[in-house]
Amino acid sequence: MQVQWYPGHMTKAKRAMKEDMKLVDLVIEILDARAPLSSRNPDIDELGRGKARLVLLNKADLADEAANRAWESYFKEQGVVTVRADARRRADMKPVQAAVQTACREKKERDLRRGIKNRPVRAMVVGIPNVGKSTFINSYAGRACAKTGNKPGVTRGNQWIRLGRNVELLDTPGILWPKFEDEQVGIRLALLGSVKDEILGMEELSLKLLEFLQNRYPEALEARYQLSEADTKRETAAVLTEIAKIRNCILKGNRPDREKAARLIIDEFRSGRLGTITLELPGEEQGS
């Protein structure tokens, strides 16, 4: 299943980001905790070269807690200041404030040596579509100052947001990269909602999710859809059909509505109703 989505405005946004990067001290990279590597735009490393970095593992409440700890350790071992959070929760922003100061320690020390005091940290917030950049900014600021939405493409232009005297944030549109070299990366991003659903085959995508859940989280399928252990070991297409019957996704003639069931399963994964699930772990090959 090949997934690609790179609308024209992303090329323009990337050019603007390259220019604006000259104005900032810190890059705050928002990743989806359910797939941190797949949701990490490889272009950011090049664009943010030489800048202080902070990784926020967002939507950690929807991810497997053991996996959250593993990913936090993974990034910290690379020397990246890392925080995991649910950006909708104001309380989760307290560790972010400390992390910003930690990430910018060298910058502040340089300022002091130059006699510059109390200059605010200028931070750029980056990430792919639908990882929660604007939600993070609103929670961090304690007010609604960035547009939010549960679909990709809500933020289309850059905007500066002042947070008191200590931090200024630059919100940027979510940008992907032109081609997903690894098919699994495209599938994970589609499951996370970072690619527009309108371009996807939802039934085929749901089969990919079911296959993953059968291997990694069979208990989630059993609990959510009242499936037996034997049911979860059946052919993936048969599992989708069974869920359609259980959830009364039925067409005329008493035929299972597999498309409706597929959308239901994907929606329940995205919302967390299927349970806390992580799609990839540190150390795994990207294609696995």
Side-chain angles (χ1 to χ4, degrees), residues 57-237:
L57 296 172
N58 191 29
K59 306 187 183 182
D61 57 306
L62 302 177
D64 184 322
E65 180 57 25
N68 284 340
R69 292 193 295 270
W71 280 114
E72 193 171 17
S73 297
Y74 169 86
F75 286 111
K76 286 183 176 178
E77 285 170 7
Q78 295 186 351
V80 180
V81 179
T82 308
V83 179
R84 48 191 164 107
D86 170 4
R88 298 169 300 178
R89 285 171 43 86
R90 182 83 173 105
D92 282 15
M93 295 301 101
K94 291 182 180 178
V96 177
Q97 297 173 15
V100 166
Q101 300 307 314
T102 299
C104 292
R105 183 178 294 131
E106 290 185 8
K107 174 260 178 191
K108 287 186 168 293
E109 290 174 353
R110 287 196 305 271
D111 281 354
L112 286 175
R113 287 196 296 270
R114 297 168 182 168
I116 303 171
K117 297 181 179 179
N118 301 321
R119 187 170 76 84
V121 170
R122 305 195 89 188
M124 178 184 287
V125 182
V126 302
I128 67 171
N130 207 34
V131 289
K133 296 183 306 300
S134 297
T135 300
F136 159 73
I137 288 172
N138 290 340
S139 288
Y140 194 28
R143 64 185 189 279
C145 48
K147 291 182 180 179
T148 64
N150 61 354
K151 60 182 180 180
V154 172
T155 304
R156 299 299 285 268
N158 295 354
Q159 53 180 325
W160 280 102
I161 297 143
R162 182 182 289 274
L163 308 181
R165 288 182 289 181
N166 296 322
V167 180
E168 293 178 355
L169 294 182
L170 177 61
D171 187 15
T172 61
I175 58 170
L176 293 168
W177 52 108
K179 185 177 181 181
F180 307 140
E181 299 293 342
D182 188 330
E183 179 185 6
Q184 291 301 315
V185 169
I187 290 169
R188 290 175 189 133
L189 295 185
L191 288 170
L192 297 176
S194 293
V195 176
K196 280 195 172 180
D197 287 346
E198 289 81 358
I199 72 166
L200 302 171
M202 298 302 280
E203 185 174 330
E204 186 181 359
L205 185 62
S206 75
L207 292 176
K208 296 291 186 182
L209 176 59
L210 285 173
E211 182 182 8
F212 172 80
L213 294 172
Q214 285 175 292
N215 291 327
R216 291 285 183 89
Y217 296 93
E219 69 284 354
L221 288 175
E222 294 171 28
R224 185 65 187 171
Y225 302 116
Q226 292 82 55
L227 297 174
S228 67
E229 184 177 350
D231 283 333
T232 64
K233 294 179 180 177
R234 295 169 66 189
E235 183 182 357
T236 306

